Structures are given as structure tokens and as C-alpha cells.
Amino acid sequence: MKKLLSAMLVFAFVVIMLSACNKPQEPVEEEHEYGKVIYVSPDGNDENNGEKGSPVASLVGAVKAMRAFRTENGLPEGGIKIEFAEGTYNVTKGVTLTAEDSGTEESPIVFAGADGAQVLFNGGVTLNPADFVPADDDFKSLLQTEEAKQNVVMIDLAKAGCYDLTESADCFQELFSGNRRMIIARWPNDKYCNPGINQQNTVIGENGETYIRIPISEEKSELWEGAKDIWFYGMPYIDWISILFQNIGIDKSTSSLLFPASYSTINNECLFYLFNIPQELDSPGEYFWDHSTNFLYYWPKESIENELPVFSQLNQNGFTLDSCSHISFDNLSAKYFRKPFFNINGNHITLNNCEISCCSGDTAVDLCGDYNTIKGCLFHELSTSAVIVHTGDISTQTLGNTLISDNIIHDWSQIYTTFNAGIDIYGYGACVSHNELYNSPHLAVAIRAGQCVVEYNDVHDCCRETSDSGALYTWGHFSWSGNIFRYNYVHQIYDRISPVFGITRLGYANGIYFDWYGRFSEVYGNLFVDIAGSAVMGAAGHTVCENNICVNVGETANIFTYGL
């Protein structure tokens, strides 16, 4: 009977929430009449003038044509539309817009795909399947199985057209296939290793630095001895602080990895994996890039003839906006960038119906300014965050009035797994509304700001690899207060790691987490379902928490004061 009643309550609540989410239809706006349209086509030429019968060919050409028109004619009444015809635009150089490129409320600058067009900005190089050949004998000798030797193929990246083959630990080049991030040859394949660390097990290296020994098998110690540059990624101390460390040493005499003690402490619950090891290219979807020869070795997920692999290249922003205003981007897609595609500093900037995926770097969109909007966009397959927002002025209590609404964000933080939220808000006065966020190792929405509203969001399957965390999260300062969390549906928030390794966690994954000094906030009208930890958790004073529904949660609320 209790289960039936719970099910009925959840059903009723979801119906009410979905009814509330069905916002009234906005009146159909009359089609805006632009004073000038500049046409861009993959078949164009940047020496053209951008007229309909004489389109330019690239982002750089489009901005050049816009500036040439404005120099001669000024900003026309109705503004300027830069219209992109359907197709793929290979971007080898980003563009920077300044205050002089701004529009006005009545005469905006709009970069948009043509009606119904699929427009893709490609920051990578597509590798021709015909250019792949079977791996050479030298590399095959490193592979550990006959199946790998039969399936691994190789390609000369320089001959394939890759123009940036410099190594970067910040946003390294990556291989994508079928709109999925492939895996740099690694161990173990099933995400993490937990060897058990003795903090006292240290050794002094030849350089005088102290190292902590991480035990590995004698077989792996011998196998990896010739690897030139082994990379370590993991949570050596606690699972919500992850690090990437390059060039891990091996002590063959003790069968152990050498981890710099000065870099971080390590405990018995250390979780990590190693990658960039050619000998560990042992599964479909893995690859290894030999920096000395610039050959890429790859085990295709299918036969290479059925794939179109892409190697990410551009280490620049697609669009950089410096002190701009009244500029919009509509119906555009971007993939394979190694920096944020949009790096925006300005006011009244709008992103509508855009898609950003298969990218690395700090974030997909870095948005700084007031009265900005990101609406109806899709973000996925990202190494870190989707959207970082800086808005308002907390020192003067000036609201930023930035809106992040009606977006779908999934599968982010695929490389850097902690403290890279799907939506990360800094400042004062933003609204995060009607978004769906799912599939992440850590946070969904992080509020490091005051006077924000987080409402009508569907958040699920987050905090999958971390504990002592929350899907909706605030952190940090006494002035970051007055936030409202209402009418959200938060569900399936479970730590997937501790059951596998049998590790004792400091805390569970929670629905809403006020971490350090959360004050004067409100939590009401939310639905929490299947939460490992608390529906509402944290260190918070003067907080109203009422009229929420909790179904199958570890505990409904665990609120305690922290500091004053």
C-alpha cells in the first residue's frame, strides 16, 4: 500500500511539474527585416563580396565582408545577418569581434544558419579511411594479443593534413569517431584501479625528490618499462579532487609507479588509471599517437572503411567576443575544437538552437556579461564543462539577468571529471531554467553566486563517480546567498564507483548540496527520487526547505550550520 501511495504521489507530482513546464506559446514574432545579409557558403570564396550570388567561404571571410560593408555604410537599420548555407566549414583560424562589431537592440548582428540548414564548424581534420594501413612490425611487437596485431591500423597524421602536432597537456589532440571520443591506450580499460597505497612507502629519486610508490604487478612493470610518457589521471586523495599528471616513472626493482609526493598526498582509496601506453592498445576504440613519428595507431570500433575518424586540431576559440553587445548566434553547430567555441565578454549576447559537441578545453561556452541568453542548445561529448557563466556584480549587488534555458546537456566532464559542472554560474543574478542535464561523473549545476534561480530542470544520472557531492551544488562564500531551487526533478543520483571497489566514502551523492556557508536560500516544490544520499544536504543557515517530495532517498534533509 505504501509503495502504491508513493507511486501515486510521484505520478501526480510529475504531472503537475510537466504542466508547469508547458509554458504558454509565445506569440509568433514577425520576421525581422535585416538591413543587410551577407551570404556564406562552403562553395564560396573569401575574395567575394558576400552578396547572394557571390558568397564568401569562411568565418574569417564573413567577418571581413561585414566590416567592409560597415566601413562604407555604417550599421544599417534592422542590423546585419551573416547567413551560412548548409555544409561543413573547416575552421583553421577563429575570429575575434570587438565593440566596433556590435549591434543595437533594433539593429542586431546575427550569425545564423539558413532556414533548415545544417551548418557545422569543424575544428578537426577528418582522416581518410583509405590512408590507414596495417600497423608496422615495430608497433605490432608492442601489442599483447594476436587480435590487436590483426586489427590495429596506422596513419601518418602530417600527410593526412594535421597542421598542429604539438603536445599539450591542457587540451591535447583527441580522436573521435561516430561522434564519440575514442580512448587513448590505457590501463585498466574499465575506468579505474584501486591498488591500496601505503603512504609511508616512499623513495628518494635521483633528482632528490620524494616519490610515493604505487604498487603494480611485476608483469606490468616490465611491460611498461619502455613507455616514453605515461600519464596518470585519478583521485589520489579524495574522489572529488582529480588530477592529471604527466610522465609517471616506473621503479622496476619494486614493481611500482613513482608518484611525486610533493604533488598530492595519496591514501588507500586512491582511484586512478594510466594512459598513453602503446602496450595497452588492446581494445576496439583505443588509439596511440607516437609523437616522435606522428603516426597514429588505432583499433577501429568497426572496420576502418566504415568509419570517418576526426583528429581535433584547432587550439583557438571559434568566436571570441571582446566587449561586444547585441550579437546573436542561431542554428550553428561546432565540433572538434580544443578551446571554448564561444569565448564571450559582452552584454545582450544570445545563443539559440546551437549544438556543441566532441570538444576539449576549459568549456564549450565561456560567457561573461549581463543580459545574455543561452536557449534551446545541445551540448554533449565534452571533456569538461558545457557552459560557464560570469554575470552581475556581487560587490554592488547588481543583477546580471543572464538566462540559461531549455537546453539539453549530457555526457560532459569525460576527461576532467571533477568540478566541471554542466552549467557553472559565477556572480549575481542568473536563472537556470527548463534544462535537462544527465550523464556526468560529478556536478550538474554549480552556483558560485548569489540571487540565482534554478527551476524546472530535469537532472539525473549525475555524481556517478564521486561522493560527498550534489547534482545541484552551491559552494563558497557568505555573500553567495539568496539562491532559490524550486520545481526541479532530481533523480537517479548514485555513486557508481564505491560498490565496485568496496570503498568507504566520506559522504554519498546528494540531490542539492549547500557546501560551505550557504545562507538565506530556499528549496521548495522539488521532486527527489532515487538519491543515494540526502535530498538536501549541507552547511547552510537561514534556509527554507519545504513542500518537497522525496521518494527512495537516503535521508530527506541533513542541514547543519557552518561558521556563523
Side-chain angles (χ1 to χ4, degrees):
M1 186 64 186
K2 287 184 178 180
K3 288 185 177 179
L4 177 61
L5 180 59
S6 296
M8 292 174 65
L9 280 170
V10 172
F11 178 76
F13 194 89
V14 170
V15 169
I16 292 169
M17 286 189 64
L18 291 178
S19 299
C21 290
N22 270 335
K23 296 173 288 186
Q25 290 288 330
E26 297 177 1
V28 178
E29 296 182 3
E30 294 183 10
E31 186 174 348
H32 184 84
E33 186 173 340
Y34 294 96
K36 173 66 177 176
V37 178
I38 294 171
Y39 294 91
V40 192
S41 168
D43 300 322
N45 189 309
D46 280 350
E47 298 304 314
N48 292 342
N49 58 13
E51 296 294 334
K52 192 165 189 177
S54 183
V56 296
S58 68
L59 280 179
V60 173
V63 172
K64 179 181 176 182
M66 178 189 71
R67 287 172 173 167
F69 177 86
R70 292 188 68 166
T71 297
E72 186 173 342
N73 303 281
L75 179 64
E77 182 178 349
I80 300 174
K81 181 181 184 182
I82 297 91
E83 182 175 291
F84 293 84
E86 180 158 344
T88 297
Y89 297 82
N90 295 317
V91 183
T92 57
K93 184 178 181 181
V95 296
T96 297
L97 305 178
T98 64
E100 290 74 20
D101 298 307
S102 296
T104 66
E105 184 175 358
E106 297 78 17
S107 300
I109 305 299
V110 178
F111 294 80
D115 288 345
Q118 294 184 351
V119 176
L120 173 64
F121 297 115
N122 179 9
V125 170
T126 301
L127 306 178
N128 187 344
D131 293 337
F132 284 86
V133 297
D136 55 54
D137 290 340
D138 286 344
F139 193 80
K140 283 183 178 179
S141 68
L142 302 176
L143 301 176
Q144 301 305 298
T145 66
E146 286 301 318
E147 188 179 10
K149 294 175 182 179
Q150 293 172 10
N151 284 283
V152 172
V153 293
M154 71 181 198
I155 188 171
D156 187 326
L157 291 174
K159 289 183 179 179
C162 295
Y163 53 88
D164 183 358
L165 294 173
T166 56
E167 190 175 29
S168 171
D170 295 330
C171 48
F172 43 83
Q173 291 93 322
E174 297 181 274
L175 186 70
F176 295 86
S177 182
N179 295 320
R180 290 289 184 269
R181 172 177 276 104
M182 299 296 99
I183 300 169
I184 303 175
R186 57 168 283 175
W187 176 87
N189 291 334
D190 57 353
K191 196 59 178 175
Y192 291 111
C193 173
N194 174 233
I197 308 298
N198 181 353
Q199 185 71 44
Q200 306 305 315
N201 189 10
T202 60
V203 62
I204 306 298
E206 295 179 359
N207 57 4
E209 185 173 356
T210 302
Y211 293 89
I212 299 171
R213 291 194 182 103
I214 301 177
I216 55 176
S217 69
E218 184 176 340
E219 176 191 6
K220 293 297 184 184
S221 176
E222 292 182 359
L223 180 64
W224 297 338
E225 186 181 20
K228 297 176 183 176
D229 187 8
I230 298 177
W231 291 38
F232 172 105
Y233 185 83
M235 290 78 82
Y237 172 63
I238 199 164
D239 65 7
W240 40 266
I241 298 178
S242 59
I243 62 169
L244 174 66
F245 189 81
Q246 192 175 356
N247 200 14
I248 287 288
I250 295 178
D251 182 359
K252 187 178 177 182
S253 64
T254 60
S255 298
S256 57
L257 303 171
L258 299 180
F259 189 88
S262 59
Y263 198 82
S264 176
T265 56
I266 296 183
N267 69 17
N268 284 327
E269 295 178 2
C270 171
L271 296 173
F272 72 92
Y273 62 85
L274 305 172
F275 65 103
N276 204 40
I277 308 173
Q279 292 89 341
E280 294 298 331
L281 206 171
D282 58 4
S283 299
E286 288 191 325
Y287 68 97
F288 175 77
W289 168 25
D290 188 332
H291 297 93
S292 64
T293 64
N294 282 326
F295 276 98
L296 179 103
Y297 299 87
Y298 174 48
W299 186 339
K301 295 186 76 67
E302 302 178 17
S303 63
I304 192 64
E305 294 81 7
N306 296 328
E307 294 190 30
L308 278 177
V310 181
F311 200 54
S312 62
Q313 286 288 278
L314 188 63
N315 195 16
Q316 299 177 14
N317 306 119
F319 282 97
T320 299
L321 274 61
D322 184 7
S323 303
C324 298
S325 65
H326 295 97
I327 298 178
S328 295
F329 303 89
D330 196 355
N331 189 31
L332 304 174
S333 297
K335 290 183 178 180
Y336 315 123
F337 283 76
R338 294 165 56 211
K339 291 285 188 181
F341 181 69
F342 289 107
N343 187 358
I344 296 171
N345 183 347
N347 302 324
H348 300 281
I349 308 298
T350 301
L351 273 61
N352 280 318
N353 305 314
C354 294
E355 178 181 358
I356 301 179
S357 62
C358 302
C359 292
S360 55
D362 303 325
T363 182
V365 178
D366 196 335
L367 180 63
C368 181
D370 299 337
Y371 296 95
N372 296 323
T373 300
I374 299 177
K375 187 173 183 179
C377 295
L378 173 62
F379 302 92
H380 59 102
E381 293 291 322
L382 305 174
S383 67
T384 57
S385 298
V387 177
I388 296 178
V389 173
H390 296 259
T391 191
D393 188 338
I394 202 164
S395 64
T396 61
Q397 296 190 348
T398 302
L399 297 174
N401 295 298
T402 288
L403 174 65
I404 312 298
S405 176
D406 297 274
N407 304 287
I408 297 175
I409 303 174
H410 66 88
D411 294 282
W412 70 94
S413 285
Q414 291 186 325
I415 301 295
Y416 302 95
T417 57
T418 59
F419 285 106
N420 289 289
I423 301 172
D424 208 338
I425 307 290
Y426 295 79
Y428 200 74
C431 181
V432 178
S433 175
H434 293 90
N435 303 284
E436 182 180 10
L437 300 102
Y438 62 95
N439 280 359
S440 167
H442 203 194
L443 315 174
V445 179
I447 303 294
R448 310 163 203 247
Q451 297 296 320
C452 293
V453 176
V454 180
E455 62 182 4
Y456 296 113
N457 299 286
D458 181 0
V459 179
H460 59 97
D461 295 284
C462 299
C463 306
R464 294 164 64 95
E465 297 175 9
T466 50
S467 65
D468 194 23
S469 59
L472 305 179
Y473 179 84
T474 70
W475 186 42
H477 196 273
F478 277 122
S479 61
W480 295 350
S481 62
N483 297 305
I484 297 174
F485 297 84
R486 63 189 179 195
Y487 313 131
N488 298 287
Y489 180 29
V490 184
H491 54 118
Q492 296 295 327
I493 309 300
Y494 285 113
D495 166 19
R496 305 302 207 266
I497 295 297
S498 52
V500 173
F501 290 103
I503 297 172
T504 302
R505 299 293 206 180
L506 287 179
Y508 294 105
N510 304 285
I512 297 177
Y513 193 169
F514 296 101
D515 195 2
W516 287 68
Y517 310 134
R519 300 190 308 157
F520 297 102
S521 296
E522 298 180 49
V523 179
Y524 61 87
N526 300 282
L527 173 59
F528 300 98
V529 179
D530 295 332
I531 311 290
S534 301
V536 183
M537 167 73 180
H542 306 284
T543 294
V544 174
C545 181
E546 63 185 5
N547 296 325
N548 302 285
I549 292 181
C550 304
V551 180
N552 191 28
V553 301
E555 55 187 350
T556 55
N558 183 357
I559 302 293
F560 53 92
T561 56
Y562 203 111
L564 295 179

